[in-house]
Amino acid sequence: MTKKQRALAVIEALKTRYPQAICSLQADSPLQLLIATRLSAQCTDARVNLVTPALFARFPTLDDLADATPEEVGSYIRSCGLYKTKAADIVAMCRMLRDVYHGVLPDTVEELTKLPGVGRKTANLVCGDVFGKPAVVADTHCIRITGRLGLTDGTKDPYKVETQLRRILPPTESNDLCHRLVLFGREICTARSPACLSCPLRDICPGKQM
């Protein structure tokens, strides 16, 4: 079985198990999704979803966030970890969106990653979920699972994983697959104790544990 063939088998199996390929982060606008994704670095999506309602209620618009201080924003996101850095990034990215991009969220990875604190993972998620473009979100679940499945060479480098997956994934499926890998990684293919005996991918997984 080639990597492309295995990738197609993985896509179909996970479609069956997780029909709804949706982002775990809760957001009501593209800007909110961008900020929530930045907050999710080294923090669970569940924790981010607890924090963002109060944050966005206090700062409902781009201008509100751009005019805020990092200290003000930080007081709402303390439990997310690295909150001082994240708060500074959020304020700086909002100011850049307002002053450089005239309030319009960029629709390419190249432009999005010019924003303070925005890496390729965040940029890909926004491109996929907001603009419907082919995207590969190389988060911790994607890196771990695709390595175990032999879809990548086992590298932990997010950019290398993204590049390798783009070569074998159908562009129309890549973004949804990444969302499904998050669900799969939480339920079955966990970091420490993967449930290989009950895994729907057991027959095609070269990294399964007996």
Side-chain angles (χ1 to χ4, degrees), residues 2-177:
T2 67
K3 286 186 177 181
K4 285 188 176 182
Q5 290 171 330
R6 184 178 295 120
L8 290 175
V10 169
I11 288 168
E12 292 308 313
L14 294 187
K15 273 185 179 181
T16 298
R17 190 172 190 96
Y18 309 105
Q20 300 298 318
I22 56 175
C23 181
S24 299
L25 293 168
Q26 297 171 3
D28 293 329
S29 70
L31 178 63
Q32 288 188 6
L33 181 62
L34 175 68
I35 292 170
T37 308
R38 176 64 187 96
L39 290 174
S40 70
Q42 298 182 324
C43 180
T44 66
D45 289 355
R47 170 55 57 185
V48 174
N49 289 338
L50 290 174
V51 165
T52 49
L55 174 68
F56 296 141
R58 171 62 182 84
F59 306 101
T61 69
L62 174 65
D63 286 338
D64 290 328
L65 284 163
D67 290 336
T69 66
E71 290 74 21
E72 289 177 307
V73 173
S75 67
Y76 286 86
I77 63 171
R78 285 179 179 272
S79 63
C80 282
L82 302 175
Y83 75 93
K84 291 183 179 180
T85 299
K86 292 177 181 179
D89 284 343
I90 289 169
V91 171
M93 76 167 66
C94 288
R95 288 175 180 172
M96 188 171 180
L97 282 170
R98 180 191 63 188
D99 300 338
V100 177
Y101 292 96
H102 310 293
V104 179
L105 194 65
D107 64 354
T108 67
V109 170
E110 291 70 27
E111 288 297 316
L112 283 164
T113 51
K114 292 179 181 179
L115 297 171
V118 176
R120 291 191 67 87
K121 185 190 82 169
T122 297
N124 268 283
L125 190 145
V126 169
C127 281
D129 278 28
V130 175
F131 299 107
K133 294 187 173 184
V136 175
V137 182
D139 64 4
T140 182
H141 295 290
C142 177
I143 292 170
R144 178 180 73 254
I145 296 167
T146 57
R148 285 175 176 172
L149 288 169
L151 300 181
T152 64
D153 62 10
T155 179
K156 304 299 182 184
D157 183 291
Y159 180 68
K160 291 180 179 178
V161 169
E162 177 189 337
T163 301
Q164 291 175 26
L165 290 177
R166 283 187 183 275
R167 296 192 191 113
I168 63 172
L169 295 178
T172 55
E173 298 284 357
S174 60
N175 191 57
D176 284 351
L177 174 62

